[in-house]
Amino acid sequence: MGKIKQAVIFAGGLGERLKPFTETNPKPMYPFQGKPFIEYLVEQIVSFGINDIIILLGYLPEKVTEYLGDGSRYGAKINYCITPVEYDTQFRLKAAAEDLQDEFLMMYCDNYCPINFERLVRAYEENGAWIQFTAYANLDGYTKNNLKIAEDGQVLVYDKKRTQTDLQGVDIGYAIVSKKVLSLMSDQNENFEAVVYPQLVERGLLYAMVTEHRYYSIGSFARIELTEEFLSGQKYIFLDRDGTLDVRPPKACYVEKPEDFIWLPGAKEAIKKLKDAGYFIILVSNQAGIAMGRMTDEDVALVNEKMQDDLLAIGACIDAIYYCPHGWDSTCSCRKPKPGMLYQAQKDFSINLPECYLIGDDERDIQTAENADVKGILVDENYTLLDAVNDLLEGKKG
């Protein structure tokens, strides 16, 4: 059992932006694949090793309590703190104060992100924070920023109204909270973050763990379409190219033209098996030969076209292809072992990265996987792509 044994979910708002659904249902009951959104959150919390959950309710609370019950079917104990609809988050938390443990996980009922929970707890402990929350890097302008964060993760600015111009990143919840912060709350019916976070900034006690993995939300219908994609159950897998699918050229040489692409034994069969099993296959490849002037983007396209034609002939394909054209000494974010290609694909297809595998023949592939919280599988001449795929499909990979 980990250090954090309790989770608290804010789930009491009216959900005005989800009308007409919220005219008869509370927002966290919005369904995906036959399950309400809040059920995904409960299951995620249990996966963190937490089985004591408090849900702070206000609007139509019985819809949540009747569905989730006491939490026993999830392997958890769920308690509910029901307060008037007009209560803001500060009053909701105060109402539950007697039941709060000294430290707990605080979440919002409308955000889901597959965070690295162990890393979050570790950062909280190392920083001596009173609150260590998760922040989306927001490099793609997915939403409006409300943070300014130092390199060490200390939050320098928390702008609830999002009016400053030099901000980068946005708070998405998933916060490890010390109960000591309750002493900073006011006696007014106000927003918890608006009251407490600026005080913690002044004291140097507010920290953020930044993630580039997009979060998914039921805050508005505009976001729900992406959340539908994310929770669809589609299986994704990432594959390296040279040395994994085809014969790796000698050091300082590249696959410059279609005839240079020579399939490794069993590689085409492995891809066909993945497609037949319903996987969406994504290729991620370093192609430094472009930066070296040995080939062009057009040459890479021709090589990949040959690869796809060969796969098409057996009823298979690669669904998406990403490659880094930069050199060995580049400071880009896409050259493996940096995880930029994986994060780009994640946003493009609404992928849950921790549920994915990356298969490659180089330790940099495994490091890339680790950097994006993806599971990595290393292959070589004795343990081929086909071997790895067979093990994966037979359930031998956890």
Side-chain angles (χ1 to χ4, degrees):
M1 181 69 70
K3 174 183 176 65
I4 306 300
K5 298 181 173 65
Q6 185 182 66
V8 177
I9 308 176
F10 286 116
L14 289 169
E16 295 281 358
R17 288 182 291 176
L18 287 192
K19 287 184 175 179
F21 175 80
T22 49
E23 290 174 354
T24 54
N25 297 277
K27 179 170 60 175
M29 292 300 292
Y30 195 93
F32 296 90
Q33 305 298 316
K35 291 166 51 175
F37 190 71
I38 198 164
E39 187 169 9
Y40 290 95
L41 297 181
V42 168
E43 291 172 343
Q44 183 184 34
I45 289 168
V46 172
S47 77
F48 293 156
I50 298 173
N51 55 23
D52 180 352
I53 303 172
I54 300 176
I55 303 179
L56 310 182
L57 299 172
Y59 179 61
L60 297 177
E62 67 281 358
K63 294 290 183 89
V64 176
T65 60
E66 291 173 6
Y67 183 87
L68 295 178
D70 64 3
S72 57
R73 72 176 186 264
Y74 306 105
K77 178 183 177 183
I78 300 178
N79 291 306
Y80 304 94
C81 182
I82 301 172
T83 50
V85 173
E86 61 270 17
Y87 271 21
D88 208 328
T89 49
Q90 185 172 236
F91 270 12
R92 294 199 195 285
L93 201 57
K94 274 191 174 187
E98 289 186 1
D99 297 319
L100 296 177
Q101 296 183 13
D102 289 343
E103 295 164 312
F104 55 92
L105 172 66
M106 185 181 78
M107 296 170 56
Y108 307 132
C109 74
D110 51 1
N111 285 347
Y112 187 109
C113 186
I115 67 164
N116 186 322
F117 184 67
E118 291 182 2
R119 186 160 71 91
L120 179 68
V121 175
R122 190 164 59 247
Y124 167 80
E125 295 171 341
E126 291 173 353
N127 293 327
W130 280 22
I131 293 183
Q132 174 94 35
F133 60 60
T134 304
Y136 178 53
N138 202 36
L139 301 176
D140 57 342
Y142 181 57
T143 188
K144 198 168 182 181
N145 296 308
N146 67 356
L147 303 171
K148 187 173 184 179
I149 306 169
E151 287 189 11
D152 66 354
Q154 184 176 347
V155 178
L156 305 177
V157 176
Y158 176 78
D159 180 6
K160 179 70 176 178
K161 296 183 178 179
R162 310 186 187 203
T163 56
Q164 291 190 212
T165 57
D166 59 342
L167 303 175
Q168 184 63 63
V170 62
D171 162 34
I172 60 172
Y174 291 94
I176 305 297
V177 178
S178 167
K179 193 175 179 179
K180 291 182 286 189
V181 301
L182 271 63
S183 66
L184 303 179
M185 296 196 299
S186 73
D187 294 326
Q188 305 299 313
N189 184 22
E190 298 177 280
N191 180 271
F192 171 76
E193 295 89 345
V195 172
V196 171
Y197 284 10
Q199 295 181 67
L200 293 178
V201 168
E202 288 182 10
R203 299 180 183 207
L205 295 172
L206 185 64
Y207 281 78
M209 180 185 79
V210 180
T211 178
E212 290 188 46
H213 195 299
R214 180 175 283 176
Y215 68 100
Y216 292 85
S217 171
I218 55 168
S220 68
F221 282 112
R223 291 282 172 81
I224 279 178
E225 185 176 349
L226 289 176
T227 306
E228 289 271 14
E229 263 185 62
F230 178 72
L231 296 174
S232 68
Q234 173 64 54
K235 297 178 292 186
Y236 295 87
I237 192 164
F238 294 91
L239 302 179
D240 172 52
R241 197 188 76 178
D242 301 333
T244 302
L245 303 186
D246 60 301
V247 176
R248 176 182 287 279
K251 190 173 181 179
C253 296
Y254 304 95
V255 179
E256 300 175 17
K257 49 189 181 298
E259 51 266 37
D260 294 338
F261 185 94
I262 302 169
W263 286 96
L264 285 167
K268 285 188 288 185
E269 182 185 350
I271 293 174
K272 180 68 163 60
K273 285 192 170 188
L274 287 171
K275 289 305 299 177
D276 290 347
Y279 278 87
F280 188 99
I281 303 173
I282 302 173
L283 195 70
V284 285
S285 175
N286 287 345
Q287 294 297 328
I290 297 174
M292 300 292 291
R294 297 283 297 275
M295 56 191 186
T296 65
D297 290 284
E298 290 74 17
D299 294 325
V300 174
L302 289 172
V303 171
N304 288 336
E305 183 179 341
K306 189 266 185 192
M307 173 189 69
Q308 293 281 44
D309 287 345
D310 291 346
L311 290 173
L312 186 61
I314 62 168
C317 69
I318 302 291
D319 296 287
I321 297 175
Y322 296 82
Y323 64 90
C324 171
H326 306 112
W328 291 83
D329 57 352
S330 172
T331 58
C332 70
S333 63
C334 55
R335 181 172 176 79
K336 294 182 293 183
K338 292 182 179 178
M341 287 187 284
L342 273 61
Y343 282 129
Q344 186 57 56
Q346 190 281 311
K347 295 173 180 62
D348 290 344
F349 299 104
S350 299
I351 302 171
N352 188 336
L353 287 181
E355 293 186 355
C356 298
Y357 287 87
L358 167 58
I359 304 178
D361 72 313
D362 193 301
E363 287 294 340
R364 287 173 298 178
D365 295 311
I366 305 306
Q367 186 61 53
T368 303
E370 291 176 359
N371 289 340
D373 292 321
V374 169
K375 292 166 279 194
I377 300 176
L378 188 66
V379 295
D380 56 29
E381 59 185 12
N382 298 313
Y383 185 71
T384 67
L385 176 63
L386 182 57
D387 294 327
V389 167
N390 283 336
D391 284 348
L392 181 61
L393 296 182
E394 292 171 14
K396 295 179 182 179
K397 294 293 182 182

